[in-house]
Structures are given as structure tokens and as C-alpha cells.
């Protein structure tokens, strides 16, 4: 293929490839992927950079195939130290919270390693555990009983692994761990704070009477908030607890009435499972009206962009114009929606 090949000629050739491969859906996206690969070659990209790009794409494909059969099953990801021993109270906490959620129909996603990851996989059971492992030169290997080929995928890169540990789940539980656990936990908070990920419940679970996460909470409240590097309510999205029951309830309860959201311009659309009453809406306005840039919280019909996309049109909705910097308060609003008298 000539370096001087025009974009139109390249797209025509790629269309022939898709025709021969029998690809009929999402052709524009597949074409974009293939075009990017060709352009990498035309750019004289280094072999090392090409190895990174090709391996990352192959790993994502493997992971997408792993998760696809379980698309409609709610999932929670459990993070924590690979060095936690079976006799440690934290091991029991991880195992018990995973078992509690699995018993309510959830699948449990872990990094497929030892320690907390192994404990959570044991608690979930082989049919409800999914593992996304990382190839490391020195870490202890996970038990063979937890590496069912149909429920695990192995990654070379941390960034692709982290993507898959986060993107499929509707909740996250972090138990004490080292640099890796802290990295995962702070990335969750960053994605939530910046609005790059939809609101999700995040639980920091400790052993009974433990203060590992309390130290972090004090640092945030005494150092980060006064320094002005985060907003006062940014940590509202996190539950710090030493209770397995409270941790499991926080994950499942977040989805009691709240279903999802969508920004359409500056309007925030919240989809609910149950239609709110006039009294419910009035109570929400009284508590959260001060957080709006204009207008009020009100019941609305699906907006045009949702209609075009056929985006959960059957669900009742609330519309509001929330000040963008009040994203921390959004979690309190969701909590109030879940506590409405009309909630299921």
C-alpha cells in the first residue's frame, strides 16, 4: 500500500477487507481502528511503540470477550494487597464481603492474584469470580483453583488491566494494600471527581477496629481540603467502614432507585427506577436547590438526544442544572433519591 495513498482510497480498501471478513455492524469504528494501524506504519513508528499498541489492543479484545457473556450481571471489583495472609482478619473480611455480594447475584472482579484477591475470589466462588491478572517477574502465583480459563484473562500492561478492572463494575471495595492498591483507589476517585466515570459506590473496608483508612481520611480532611487542592465534599462519595454488612449494603443500596445519568449540554438527566411524587421532588429541591446553576429539579420526559439513541426511554427522569463543581454533592443527591418514600 503506497505511503501516498489518500484517505478515501484507504477507506475504500478497508471497506473491502470488512466485506470479506463479513463485518456488518459498527463498521465506522472498525475502520477507524484499522486506519490507525495503517497510519502507524506510514508514520514509521518504532518497533517498541508498535509492540505496545498491538499488545494493548489484543489484550483489550481478550478482556472484552471474557466479560461479554456476563454483560447484564452486576459486578463489583475488590482491590487489596497481594501480600495479605490467610490468617489475617482482612482476608476474612474480603472473603465475607465477596460472599455476601455473590449471594445477592453479583459477580466479583479481582486482579486474580494472591492475598486479598484470592480471598475475594474464594468468597465469590468459581462461578461468580472473574480475574484480570498481570504478568509479573516476581510476584507469587495465584492458586490454580482460582484461575479457571473461562473466567480469567492475563494482561501484560497495568493500564489495560486497570481499565478492565474498572470499566465493567458497578461498585468498588478497597481493602488495605500497598502502592498498587493506593494507585487503583486514587484513580477511582480521580475518575469520579473529574466526571470521566459515572457515579459509582466506593467502599474502603478495614478489619474490625482497624484504622488504616481512617488515617487516609484524616489526611484528606486535615491536609488536602484546607490546602484547596480538592473540594470539601469530594470525599463524600466514599464510605469508610470496618463492617462487611455495611460495605455490601453500600454497593447494592446505591442502585436501589438511582439507575444512571446523562449530561445533555448543561442539563443533567437522572434516570430512576420509580416515579417520584410531587412531595419527593419538593423535598429534593429544598435540600439541593442551592447547588443548581439555575432552575429547579423537576420531572421530565426523555430529552431529544436520549430519544435519538433510544437511551432507557422507559425509565422516569429528573432534570436539573447542577453546578459542575458540585459533583461531590451529586453523591448526596443520589443518596437522597435512593431514600425517597417512592423508592422501590
Amino acid at each position: 500500500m503506497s505511503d501516498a495513498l489518500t484517505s478515501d482510497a484507504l477507506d475504500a480498501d478497508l471497506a473491502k477487507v470488512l466485506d470479506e471478513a463479513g463485518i456488518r455492524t459498527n463498521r465506522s469504528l472498525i475502520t477507524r481502528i484499522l486506519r490507525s494501524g495503517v497510519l502507524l506504519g506510514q508514520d514509521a513508528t518504532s518497533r517498541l511503540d508498535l509492540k505496545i499498541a498491538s499488545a494493548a489492543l489484543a489484550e483489550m479484545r481478550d478482556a472484552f470477550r471474557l466479560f461479554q457473556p456476563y454483560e447484564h450481571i452486576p459486578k463489583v471489583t475488590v482491590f487489596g494487597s497481594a501480600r495479605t495472609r490467610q490468617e489475617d482478619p482482612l482476608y476474612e473480611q474480603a472473603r465475607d464481603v465477596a460472599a455476601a455480594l455473590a449471594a445477592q447475584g453479583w459477580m466479583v472482579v479481582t486482579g486474580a492474584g494472591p492475598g486479598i484477591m484470592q480471598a475475594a475470589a474464594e468468597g465469590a466462588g468459581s462461578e461468580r469470580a472473574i480475574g484480570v491478572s498481570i504478568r509479573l517477574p516476581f510476584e507469587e502465583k495465584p492458586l490454580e483453583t482460582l484461575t479457571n480459563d473461562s473466567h480469567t484473562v492475563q494482561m501484560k500492561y497495568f493500564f489495560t488491566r486497570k481499565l478492565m478492572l474498572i470499566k465493567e463494575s458497578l461498585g468498588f471495595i478497597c481493602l488495605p494494600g500497598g502502592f498498587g492498591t493506593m494507585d487503583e483507589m486514587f484513580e477511582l476517585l480521580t475518575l469520579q471527581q473529574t466526571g470521566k466515570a459515572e457515579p459509582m459506590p466506593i467502599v474502603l473496608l478495614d478489619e474490625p477496629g482497624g484504622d488504616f483508612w481512617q488515617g487516609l481520611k484524616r489526611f484528606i480532611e486535615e491536609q488536602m481540603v484546607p490546602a484547596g487542592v480538592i473540594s470539601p465534599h469530594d470525599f463524600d462519595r466514599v464510605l469508610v467502614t470496618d463492617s462487611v454488612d455495611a460495605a455490601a449494603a453500600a454497593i447494592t443500596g446505591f442502585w436501589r432507585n438511582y439507575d444512571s445519568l446523562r449530561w445533555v449540554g448543561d442539563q443533567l438527566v437522572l434516570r430512576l427506577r420509580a416515579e417520584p411524587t410531587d412531595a419527593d421532588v419538593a423535598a429534593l429541591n429544598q435540600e439541593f436547590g442551592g447547588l443548581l446553576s439555575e432552575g429547579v429539579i423537576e420531572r421530565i420526559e426523555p430529552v431529544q438526544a436520549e430519544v435519538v439513541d433510544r437511551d432507557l426511554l422507559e425509565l422516569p427522569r429528573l432534570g436539573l442544572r447542577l453546578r459542575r463543581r458540585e459533583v461531590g454533592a451529586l453523591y448526596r443527591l443520589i443518596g437522597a433519591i435512593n431514600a425517597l418514600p417512592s423508592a422501590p
Side-chain angles (χ1 to χ4, degrees), residues 64 162-169 172:
F64 295 155
K162 193 185 300 181
L163 170 67
M164 297 311 304
L165 286 171
I166 291 176
K167 77 171 288 290
E168 297 289 337
S169 289
F172 304 91

Side-chain angles (χ1 to χ4, degrees), residues 317-337:
R317 284 158 163 71
L318 292 172
L320 61 147
R321 284 176 166 78
L322 182 72
R323 292 198 298 267
R324 294 283 183 151
R325 287 188 176 272
E326 299 291 350
V327 66
L330 178 56
Y331 284 75
R332 291 189 286 116
L333 174 56
I334 291 172
I337 287 171

Side-chain angles (χ1 to χ4, degrees), residues 64-86:
F64 295 155
R65 293 176 71 194
L66 169 65
F67 280 93
Q68 196 279 330
Y70 315 109
E71 179 180 3
H72 300 295
I73 301 176
K75 302 170 196 68
V76 60
T77 296
V78 177
F79 295 112
S81 176
R83 305 184 183 189
T84 304
R85 301 297 181 185
Q86 291 188 359

Side-chain angles (χ1 to χ4, degrees), residues 180-321:
T181 302
M182 295 297 104
D183 173 55
E184 291 153 345
M185 184 269 298
F186 275 114
E187 174 141 348
L188 286 173
L189 295 180
T190 300
L191 292 171
Q192 299 290 310
Q193 181 195 52
T194 57
K196 294 295 287 185
E198 290 197 12
M200 301 282 176
I202 301 172
V203 178
L204 307 184
L205 177 62
D206 209 335
E207 65 180 283
D211 64 355
F212 184 95
W213 296 118
Q214 292 297 335
L216 172 66
K217 185 177 181 181
R218 286 193 299 272
F219 176 77
I220 290 172
E221 294 173 346
E222 296 173 8
Q223 301 295 329
M224 298 182 76
V225 172
V229 294
I230 65 171
S231 298
H233 296 295
D234 278 348
F235 206 61
D236 286 356
R237 72 198 75 225
V238 176
L239 171 66
V240 179
T241 184
D242 62 359
S243 165
V244 165
D245 290 342
I251 299 297
T252 59
F254 189 87
W255 306 102
R256 176 188 173 191
N257 191 24
Y258 168 75
D259 180 87
S260 56
L261 63 76
R262 179 168 177 173
W263 287 96
V264 182
D266 64 349
Q267 183 181 35
L268 175 61
V269 179
L270 299 175
R271 280 80 73 106
L272 282 59
R273 300 181 189 276
E275 183 80 32
T277 65
D278 290 344
D280 290 338
V281 176
L284 292 175
N285 274 296
Q286 182 172 0
E287 183 174 357
F288 297 99
L291 305 178
L292 307 183
S293 61
E294 62 178 85
V296 296
I297 301 171
E298 58 186 346
R299 287 192 300 267
I300 62 170
E301 296 297 317
V303 300
Q304 182 61 29
E306 295 177 298
V307 173
V308 170
D309 294 339
R310 303 186 61 81
D311 190 2
L312 299 172
L313 302 182
E314 72 281 5
L315 294 179
R317 284 158 163 71
L318 292 172
L320 61 147
R321 284 176 166 78

Side-chain angles (χ1 to χ4, degrees), residues 112-128:
I116 293 299
M117 295 172 280
Q118 177 177 315
E122 287 178 358
S126 61
E127 294 305 311
R128 293 244 162 219

